[in-house]
Amino acid sequence: MIDERDLDAAVTAGVLDTVQRERLAQFARDHKRGTAGPDEEQFRLLTGFNDIFVTIAVGLVLFAVAALGGLVAPVVGAAGVAGASWGLAEYFTRQRRMALPAIVLLLTFVGAVMAVLVMLLTGSGSVEFGDSRAAMSPGVIVAAAGTAAAAWLHWRRFMVPITVAAGAGVLVIMVLAMFMMVNDPGGPGLSVALAICGLAVFAFAMWADARDRARVTRWSDVAFWLHLLAAPLIVHPVFSLAGLLDPTPAPGAAVAVIAVYVALTIVALAIDRRALLVSALGYVIYAIQTLIGRGEGFSASFGITALLIGLFLVALSAGWKPIRRRVIALLPQGIAGRLPAAA
């Protein structure tokens, strides 16, 4: 198999561009396995143990920057983390192309920028998470917009696939903060707004998937992270509106969540994205636990829940390709032609 470092060196030397590099790497992986097509849903997280080593080192550096800057003021510590994250990304992301450090540095950059802007625009000395009154502040809306702009600049510079999902997540925060300024934060409208945001993120993910049906370029990874974000945004409102968060939820609430997860499973099979199922897994586990936990000890009911979910996922993973072929066969040709081919 072609060594990743050789491909990175070829890009640096101008022999290949980044798209050609990713296509060649994907072809080499498929050729070595004797497979082709997008069914494995691959994305790069590690290029080697050195990624983990560097991530630990980067984490220590950023923690030190935050702690030492925080001695002056929290905003100074956050600003230091944002600057250090960008500076470290210039080497580890742009030059070394290390996957895990690139993801961590992007998340710390976006989080730190958001913290800085919130503290500056709301006049608070620190960021208080979970404060609904703070979330309704116009400063939070402006801070979210500024953070989304910073994420866009980071994308233009480093092209880390998760950046698009991080920017989309910040925009969701901005939309929800705007909604909470003119509506009752405790009403059902917030759940509806969250669901609409989730569907919008899902549509964006499908647009990214459509740009790369063969799943060999960076857009496939972009879509992966967007799908990972979209699923909980769609499922959580159902979780809330069905009353599963109530002190004594009715069995029908759990059944509604399970029904949504089944529908999500069909969608995941059609678009060939397991990420949808993984990111919403916690909700369906809670729903099944609520159903079978009545009259049972926690250990016994949770064991049954884990067994049911585990068997379902094992069976689904083992039969993913033939089941997906059947799902695709049931779809209209116009829709099936826009989806990844069933191997």
Side-chain angles (χ1 to χ4, degrees), residues 29 33 40 54 72 74 81 102 105 152 220:
R29 287 192 291 266
R33 292 196 312 267
E40 298 302 322
V54 169
V72 180
V81 170
L105 289 170
W152 180 81
S220 176

Side-chain angles (χ1 to χ4, degrees), residues 31-312:
H31 187 265
K32 185 177 181 63
R33 292 196 312 267
T35 62
D39 285 297
E40 298 302 322
E41 196 173 0
Q42 299 177 15
F43 77 103
R44 268 208 323 170
L45 183 61
L46 293 174
T47 54
F49 185 77
N50 194 38
D51 278 40
I52 299 175
F53 180 79
V54 169
T55 300
I56 294 172
V58 163
L60 291 172
V61 170
L62 295 179
F63 175 80
V65 170
L68 295 175
L71 296 176
V72 180
V75 69
V76 174
V81 170
S85 296
W86 186 288
L88 291 168
E90 289 287 348
Y91 179 68
F92 291 112
T93 302
R94 189 171 173 81
Q95 294 187 34
R96 294 288 302 277
R97 297 177 62 86
M98 302 181 75
L100 184 59
I103 293 171
V104 171
L105 289 170
L106 174 275
L107 294 177
T108 55
F109 172 75
V110 171
V113 169
M114 183 70 176
V116 168
L117 292 178
V118 167
M119 285 187 280
L120 290 177
L121 294 172
T122 63
S124 60
S126 61
V127 180
E128 296 291 338
F129 295 101
D131 187 346
S132 60
R133 289 174 299 177
M136 289 185 283
S137 167
V140 173
I141 298 173
V142 178
T147 304
W152 180 81
L153 291 175
H154 195 283
W155 166 257
R156 297 292 298 174
R157 179 66 175 172
F158 302 108
M159 295 287 187
V160 181
I162 195 176
T163 309
V164 180
V170 172
L171 289 177
V172 169
I173 294 174
M174 183 184 72
V175 171
L176 295 180
M178 294 171 65
F179 179 88
M180 292 169 67
M181 286 190 66
V182 297
N183 293 276
D184 177 15
L190 184 62
S191 294
V192 175
L194 187 62
I196 293 173
C197 289
L199 292 173
V201 173
F202 176 75
F204 190 19
M206 291 302 298
W207 174 82
D209 262 336
R211 297 193 63 171
D212 180 23
R213 288 183 61 208
R215 303 265 172 94
V216 294
T217 70
R218 182 181 287 109
W219 285 106
S220 176
D221 290 345
V222 169
F224 169 85
W225 292 108
L226 286 170
H227 283 300
L228 208 60
L229 172 64
L233 293 178
I234 295 171
V235 176
H236 183 80
V238 178
F239 197 84
S240 177
L241 293 172
L244 211 57
L245 296 178
D246 296 343
T248 55
V255 172
V257 173
I258 295 171
V260 170
Y261 193 75
V262 170
L264 209 60
T265 300
I266 296 172
V267 173
L269 284 163
I271 67 176
D272 199 20
R273 283 295 183 187
R274 298 162 182 82
L276 278 175
L277 302 180
V278 172
S279 60
L281 191 57
Y283 294 98
V284 74
I285 289 175
Y286 184 90
I288 294 177
Q289 173 69 14
T290 300
L291 276 178
I292 68 175
R294 300 170 183 271
E296 296 281 350
F298 176 79
S299 297
S301 62
F302 189 77
I304 296 172
T305 300
L307 179 63
L308 291 174
I309 292 294
L311 289 174
F312 170 72

